[in-house]
């Protein structure tokens, strides 16, 4: 579900400027997966998620855009939902919702926490995801090779 203020011209212009500044974070870390290939281990370089998030926060802040995220339980659908709002100092805003997990997952705090962390960090920012429409994007690489 997607919502916005009546007008989004000012926030759209600010987002366009912020996106021009965004670059992929430096791949400063190395990971190894033991026995991944018939020839042995597989190594890869990746950027910590925190580096990408820092780039996004600074760029958004420069153009007076705040990110607000809240969760709610959708009783009818039986889902925990995450709402992300990009709010501009002009009063304009855009938002999107993402289904985090079934309400039944709240009985397992670790599984719910994992799903919520993934939704809050990767889903809104990943260029191939749909929930982050209008949100600055880069290709984050988590600390997990999967």
């Amino acid at each position: 579900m997607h919502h916005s203020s009546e007008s989004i011209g000012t926030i759209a212009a600010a987002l366009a400027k912020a996106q021009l500044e965004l670059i992929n974070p430096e791949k400063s870390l190395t990971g190894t997966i033991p026995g991944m290939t018939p020839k042995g281990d597989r190594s890869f370089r990746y950027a910590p998620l925190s580096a990408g998030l820092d780039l996004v926060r600074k760029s958004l802040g420069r153009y007076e855009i705040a990110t607000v995220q809240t969760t709610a339980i959708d009783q009818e659908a039986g889902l925990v939902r995450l709402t992300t709002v990009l709010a501009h100092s002009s009063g304009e805003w855009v938002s999107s919702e993402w289904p985090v997990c079934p309400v039944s997952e709240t009985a397992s705090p670790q599984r719910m926490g994992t799903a919520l962390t993934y939704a809050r960090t990767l889903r809104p920012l990943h260029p191939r995801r749909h929930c982050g429409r209008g949100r600055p994007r880069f290709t984050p690489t988590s600390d997990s090779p999967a």
Side-chain angles (χ1 to χ4, degrees):
M1 183 178 282
H2 179 77
H3 300 281
S4 67
S5 56
E6 190 171 310
S7 168
I8 62 166
T10 305
I11 191 171
L15 282 168
K17 290 175 185 175
Q19 287 176 333
L20 285 174
E21 295 179 4
L22 294 178
I23 58 171
N24 286 329
E26 179 185 347
K27 293 181 178 183
S28 60
L29 302 174
T30 303
T32 303
I33 304 172
M36 178 70 175
T37 67
K39 294 181 181 180
D41 299 347
R42 178 181 177 264
S43 293
F44 57 94
R45 297 186 49 75
Y46 66 100
L49 181 58
S50 60
L53 293 174
D54 286 345
L55 290 169
V56 170
R57 287 183 188 119
K58 288 176 184 174
S59 183
L60 290 177
R62 242 186 311 280
Y63 295 99
E64 301 178 342
I65 302 167
T67 302
V68 180
Q69 292 184 310
T70 59
T71 56
I73 294 177
D74 180 342
Q75 295 289 355
E76 188 176 310
L79 294 170
V80 175
R81 293 191 182 274
L82 173 71
T83 300
T84 300
V85 179
L86 294 180
H88 188 257
S89 60
S90 67
E92 293 180 351
W93 57 274
V94 294
S95 72
S96 63
E97 286 185 8
W98 184 258
V100 176
C101 63
V103 173
S104 61
E105 295 282 314
T106 60
S108 173
Q110 184 175 3
R111 288 200 322 210
M112 188 182 107
T114 298
L116 190 55
T117 298
Y118 179 73
R120 284 187 168 157
T121 56
L122 296 182
R123 284 290 178 170
L125 298 175
H126 199 286
R128 292 182 197 96
R129 308 293 187 218
H130 301 290
C131 107
R133 276 181 244 152
R135 181 148 179 196
R137 297 171 181 172
F138 65 100
T139 306
T141 306
S142 71
D143 294 339
S144 168

